Amino acid sequence: GIQVEQSPPDLILQEGANSTLRCNFSDSVNNLQWFHQNPWGQLINLFYIPSGTKQNGRLSATTVATERYSLLYISSSQTTDSGVYFCAVALVSGYALNFGKGTSLLVTP
Amino acid sequence: DTAVSQTPKYLVTQMGNDKSIKCEQNLGHDTMYWYKQDSKKFLKIMFSYNNKELIINETVPNRFSPKSPDKAHLNLHINSLELGDSAVYFCASSQGHNSPLHFGNGTRLTVT
Protein backbone atom coordinates (compact mmCIF):
# COMPACT_ATOMS: atom_id res chain seq x y z
CA GLY A 1 0.00 0.00 0.00
CA ILE A 2 0.91 3.65 -0.12
CA GLN A 3 3.55 4.85 2.32
CA VAL A 4 2.99 8.11 4.20
CA GLU A 5 5.90 9.57 6.12
CA GLN A 6 5.64 12.59 8.36
CA SER A 7 8.45 14.62 9.83
CA PRO A 8 9.49 15.55 12.37
CA PRO A 9 7.84 12.97 14.66
CA ASP A 10 8.00 15.35 17.62
CA LEU A 11 8.33 19.11 17.89
CA ILE A 12 8.50 21.51 20.82
CA LEU A 13 8.00 25.20 20.19
CA GLN A 14 7.80 28.31 22.25
CA GLU A 15 4.64 30.35 21.83
CA GLY A 16 4.97 32.73 18.90
CA ALA A 17 7.37 30.58 16.90
CA ASN A 18 6.73 29.33 13.37
CA SER A 19 7.02 25.73 12.17
CA THR A 20 6.81 23.58 9.08
CA LEU A 21 5.55 20.01 9.11
CA ARG A 22 6.25 17.73 6.17
CA CYS A 23 4.39 14.81 4.62
CA ASN A 24 5.98 12.59 1.96
CA PHE A 25 4.02 9.94 0.12
CA SER A 26 5.07 7.12 -2.14
CA ASP A 27 2.51 7.12 -4.96
CA SER A 28 0.19 9.31 -6.99
CA VAL A 29 -2.69 10.61 -4.94
CA ASN A 30 -5.86 12.53 -5.68
CA ASN A 31 -6.80 13.16 -2.08
CA LEU A 32 -4.63 14.65 0.65
CA GLN A 33 -5.86 16.04 3.94
CA TRP A 34 -4.34 17.45 7.11
CA PHE A 35 -5.88 16.88 10.52
CA HIS A 36 -5.23 18.14 14.03
CA GLN A 37 -5.91 15.84 16.97
CA ASN A 38 -6.19 18.00 20.05
CA PRO A 39 -5.22 16.86 23.56
CA TRP A 40 -8.85 15.81 24.16
CA GLY A 41 -8.67 13.40 21.24
CA GLN A 42 -10.86 15.26 18.77
CA LEU A 43 -9.82 15.01 15.12
CA ILE A 44 -10.31 18.26 13.25
CA ASN A 45 -10.01 18.57 9.51
CA LEU A 46 -7.61 21.41 8.69
CA PHE A 47 -7.22 21.20 4.93
CA TYR A 48 -8.40 19.20 1.95
CA ILE A 49 -5.48 19.89 -0.37
CA PRO A 50 -4.68 17.37 -3.13
CA SER A 51 -2.66 20.09 -4.86
CA GLY A 52 -1.84 23.78 -4.60
CA THR A 53 -1.81 26.10 -1.61
CA LYS A 54 -4.48 27.05 0.90
CA GLN A 55 -4.51 29.32 3.91
CA ASN A 56 -6.75 29.44 6.95
CA GLY A 57 -5.72 32.05 9.50
CA ARG A 58 -2.31 31.20 10.92
CA LEU A 59 -2.24 27.87 9.13
CA SER A 60 -1.41 27.24 5.53
CA ALA A 61 -0.67 24.15 3.47
CA THR A 62 1.00 23.42 0.18
CA THR A 63 0.90 20.16 -1.77
CA VAL A 64 3.23 19.46 -4.70
CA ALA A 65 1.62 16.31 -6.03
CA THR A 66 4.18 15.77 -8.80
CA GLU A 67 6.98 15.65 -6.20
CA ARG A 68 4.86 13.70 -3.71
CA TYR A 69 5.00 15.93 -0.68
CA SER A 70 2.88 18.34 1.30
CA LEU A 71 3.82 20.97 3.87
CA LEU A 72 1.80 22.42 6.73
CA TYR A 73 2.90 25.81 8.03
CA ILE A 74 1.98 27.05 11.47
CA SER A 75 2.78 30.68 12.13
CA SER A 76 2.80 32.50 15.48
CA SER A 77 2.06 29.26 17.29
CA GLN A 78 -0.21 29.24 20.34
CA THR A 79 -0.55 26.73 23.15
CA THR A 80 -3.88 25.66 21.66
CA ASP A 81 -1.97 24.42 18.58
CA SER A 82 -0.58 21.57 20.69
CA GLY A 83 -1.59 18.08 19.69
CA VAL A 84 -0.86 15.65 16.89
CA TYR A 85 -0.95 16.66 13.24
CA PHE A 86 -1.81 13.94 10.77
CA CYS A 87 -1.38 13.86 7.03
CA ALA A 88 -3.63 11.41 5.17
CA VAL A 89 -3.67 10.46 1.51
CA ALA A 90 -5.68 8.30 -0.86
CA LEU A 91 -4.49 6.76 -4.09
CA VAL A 92 -5.96 7.82 -7.41
CA SER A 93 -7.65 4.43 -7.49
CA GLY A 94 -8.25 4.27 -3.76
CA TYR A 95 -11.30 4.81 -1.64
CA ALA A 96 -10.09 5.66 1.82
CA LEU A 97 -7.49 7.83 3.44
CA ASN A 98 -4.27 6.27 4.69
CA PHE A 99 -2.79 8.13 7.62
CA GLY A 100 0.79 8.92 8.50
CA LYS A 101 2.07 8.41 12.03
CA GLY A 102 1.68 12.08 12.84
CA THR A 103 3.79 14.91 14.21
CA SER A 104 3.32 15.51 17.91
CA LEU A 105 3.53 19.25 18.61
CA LEU A 106 3.88 20.86 22.03
CA VAL A 107 3.70 24.65 22.25
CA THR A 108 4.96 26.02 25.54
CA PRO A 109 4.04 29.42 27.04
CA ASP B 1 -26.06 20.32 16.17
CA THR B 2 -23.11 17.92 16.23
CA ALA B 3 -22.10 16.91 12.71
CA VAL B 4 -20.88 13.36 13.37
CA SER B 5 -21.95 11.88 16.68
CA GLN B 6 -21.07 8.50 18.09
CA THR B 7 -22.16 6.76 21.25
CA PRO B 8 -21.05 5.75 23.74
CA LYS B 9 -18.00 7.92 24.42
CA TYR B 10 -16.50 5.30 26.73
CA LEU B 11 -17.07 1.56 26.77
CA VAL B 12 -15.53 -0.74 29.36
CA THR B 13 -16.33 -4.42 29.06
CA GLN B 14 -14.96 -7.87 29.72
CA MET B 15 -13.42 -10.29 27.28
CA GLY B 16 -15.92 -12.40 25.44
CA ASN B 17 -18.75 -9.87 25.57
CA ASP B 18 -20.53 -8.40 22.53
CA LYS B 19 -20.87 -4.63 22.18
CA SER B 20 -22.09 -2.04 19.69
CA ILE B 21 -21.07 1.50 18.85
CA LYS B 22 -23.50 3.78 17.08
CA CYS B 23 -22.74 6.59 14.66
CA GLU B 24 -24.95 9.20 13.06
CA GLN B 25 -24.11 12.12 10.78
CA ASN B 26 -26.34 15.08 9.91
CA LEU B 27 -24.13 16.49 7.16
CA GLY B 28 -26.04 14.84 4.33
CA HIS B 29 -22.94 12.87 3.33
CA ASP B 30 -23.21 9.65 1.34
CA THR B 31 -20.06 7.94 2.60
CA MET B 32 -19.26 6.79 6.13
CA TYR B 33 -16.26 5.09 7.68
CA TRP B 34 -14.96 3.39 10.76
CA TYR B 35 -11.33 3.99 11.76
CA LYS B 36 -9.38 2.41 14.62
CA GLN B 37 -6.74 4.34 16.53
CA ASP B 38 -4.31 2.20 18.51
CA SER B 39 -2.33 3.06 21.62
CA LYS B 40 0.42 4.62 19.48
CA LYS B 41 -2.19 6.88 17.87
CA PHE B 42 -1.95 5.16 14.49
CA LEU B 43 -5.22 5.53 12.55
CA LYS B 44 -6.27 2.68 10.30
CA ILE B 45 -9.33 2.34 8.08
CA MET B 46 -11.63 -0.55 8.95
CA PHE B 47 -14.73 -0.11 6.80
CA SER B 48 -16.24 2.30 4.32
CA TYR B 49 -19.86 2.49 3.22
CA ASN B 50 -21.20 4.48 0.29
CA ASN B 51 -24.98 4.89 0.11
CA LYS B 52 -25.42 1.97 2.53
CA GLU B 53 -23.22 -0.31 0.41
CA LEU B 54 -19.98 -1.74 1.79
CA ILE B 55 -17.07 -0.41 -0.30
CA ILE B 56 -14.03 -1.14 1.83
CA ASN B 57 -13.48 -3.96 4.25
CA GLU B 58 -9.87 -4.00 5.34
CA THR B 59 -8.34 -7.03 7.02
CA VAL B 60 -10.62 -6.83 10.01
CA PRO B 61 -11.65 -9.97 11.96
CA ASN B 62 -15.12 -11.32 11.23
CA ARG B 63 -16.02 -10.48 14.81
CA PHE B 64 -16.45 -6.89 13.60
CA SER B 65 -19.66 -6.34 11.66
CA PRO B 66 -20.72 -2.92 10.42
CA LYS B 67 -24.34 -2.17 9.64
CA SER B 68 -25.71 0.81 7.76
CA PRO B 69 -29.50 1.08 8.02
CA ASP B 70 -29.47 4.31 6.01
CA LYS B 71 -27.01 6.88 4.64
CA ALA B 72 -26.92 8.80 7.92
CA HIS B 73 -26.09 5.88 10.20
CA LEU B 74 -23.22 3.41 10.42
CA ASN B 75 -23.07 1.17 13.48
CA LEU B 76 -20.30 -1.18 14.51
CA HIS B 77 -21.01 -4.44 16.32
CA ILE B 78 -18.18 -6.41 17.86
CA ASN B 79 -18.59 -10.04 18.97
CA SER B 80 -16.45 -11.96 21.43
CA LEU B 81 -14.33 -8.99 22.45
CA GLU B 82 -10.61 -9.56 22.95
CA LEU B 83 -7.99 -7.60 24.87
CA GLY B 84 -6.42 -6.49 21.59
CA ASP B 85 -9.65 -4.76 20.58
CA SER B 86 -8.97 -2.04 23.15
CA ALA B 87 -8.56 1.17 21.15
CA VAL B 88 -10.35 4.36 20.18
CA TYR B 89 -12.85 3.84 17.37
CA PHE B 90 -13.70 6.82 15.19
CA CYS B 91 -16.65 7.17 12.89
CA ALA B 92 -16.28 9.61 9.98
CA SER B 93 -18.18 10.81 6.95
CA SER B 94 -17.58 12.58 3.66
CA GLN B 95 -19.41 13.39 0.45
CA GLY B 96 -17.91 10.79 -1.85
CA HIS B 97 -14.34 9.73 -1.22
CA ASN B 98 -12.58 12.85 -2.53
CA SER B 99 -13.86 15.49 -0.16
CA PRO B 100 -13.08 16.62 3.39
CA LEU B 101 -13.42 13.91 6.00
CA HIS B 102 -15.30 14.76 9.20
CA PHE B 103 -14.74 12.70 12.33
CA GLY B 104 -16.87 11.96 15.35
CA ASN B 105 -15.36 12.39 18.80
CA GLY B 106 -14.42 8.74 19.14
CA THR B 107 -15.38 5.84 21.40
CA ARG B 108 -12.71 4.62 23.78
CA LEU B 109 -13.15 0.86 24.14
CA THR B 110 -11.40 -0.89 27.00
CA VAL B 111 -11.56 -4.67 27.19
CA THR B 112 -10.57 -6.18 30.55
Side-chain angles (χ1 to χ4, degrees):
Chain A
I2 189 167
Q3 304 297 313
V4 185
E5 294 183 3
Q6 292 186 241
S7 60
D10 300 282
L11 187 58
I12 300 176
L13 297 174
Q14 202 153 25
E15 212 167 14
N18 303 327
S19 63
T20 301
L21 281 55
R22 187 177 180 101
C23 172
N24 292 335
F25 43 94
S26 60
D27 212 330
S28 298
V29 300
N30 67 349
N31 187 348
L32 187 147
Q33 303 187 35
W34 284 95
F35 297 86
H36 174 221
Q37 187 166 36
N38 64 26
W40 296 272
Q42 294 174 313
L43 279 159
I44 309 299
N45 191 303
L46 299 175
F47 293 103
Y48 170 77
I49 187 165
S51 64
T53 297
K54 289 186 177 179
Q55 180 154 9
N56 184 0
R58 296 181 296 103
L59 302 181
S60 64
T62 294
T63 297
V64 184
T66 53
E67 296 187 22
R68 299 184 183 171
Y69 73 89
S70 182
L71 302 174
L72 178 69
Y73 305 94
I74 305 174
S75 63
S76 304
S77 57
Q78 300 176 358
T79 56
T80 52
D81 295 332
S82 296
V84 182
Y85 290 81
F86 290 102
C87 169
V89 304
L91 292 171
V92 171
S93 59
Y95 291 102
L97 290 173
N98 293 283
F99 281 74
K101 292 184 178 180
T103 292
S104 180
L105 172 65
L106 176 63
V107 181
T108 61
Chain B
D1 58 346
T2 304
V4 182
S5 60
Q6 49 183 114
T7 56
K9 187 174 174 64
Y10 299 98
L11 191 50
V12 181
T13 189
Q14 291 184 320
M15 281 177 57
N17 285 347
D18 303 339
K19 290 293 179 185
S20 292
I21 306 172
K22 295 187 175 182
C23 179
E24 176 181 5
Q25 54 95 5
N26 63 6
L27 296 168
H29 290 165
D30 61 3
T31 306
M32 296 185 72
Y33 311 80
W34 279 108
Y35 278 84
K36 179 180 180 180
Q37 186 172 44
D38 63 22
S39 58
K40 296 185 179 179
K41 292 198 176 289
F42 184 63
L43 278 154
K44 186 172 170 57
I45 182 73
M46 299 174 69
F47 302 102
S48 170
Y49 270 73
N50 178 265
N51 282 316
K52 302 194 302 174
E53 299 293 325
L54 180 64
I55 301 297
I56 296 171
N57 181 353
E58 290 295 310
T59 51
V60 177
N62 290 338
R63 300 181 294 103
F64 290 79
S65 54
K67 281 191 172 50
S68 181
D70 55 56
K71 282 193 332 180
H73 295 83
L74 180 62
N75 304 321
L76 183 65
H77 188 75
I78 315 170
N79 290 328
S80 304
L81 279 155
E82 301 178 356
L83 292 176
D85 297 332
S86 295
V88 181
Y89 292 85
F90 284 96
C91 177
S93 72
S94 63
Q95 183 57 31
H97 287 284
N98 291 333
S99 70
L101 189 65
H102 296 266
F103 281 94
N105 287 337
T107 295
R108 182 175 293 278
L109 171 65
T110 303
V111 183
T112 62

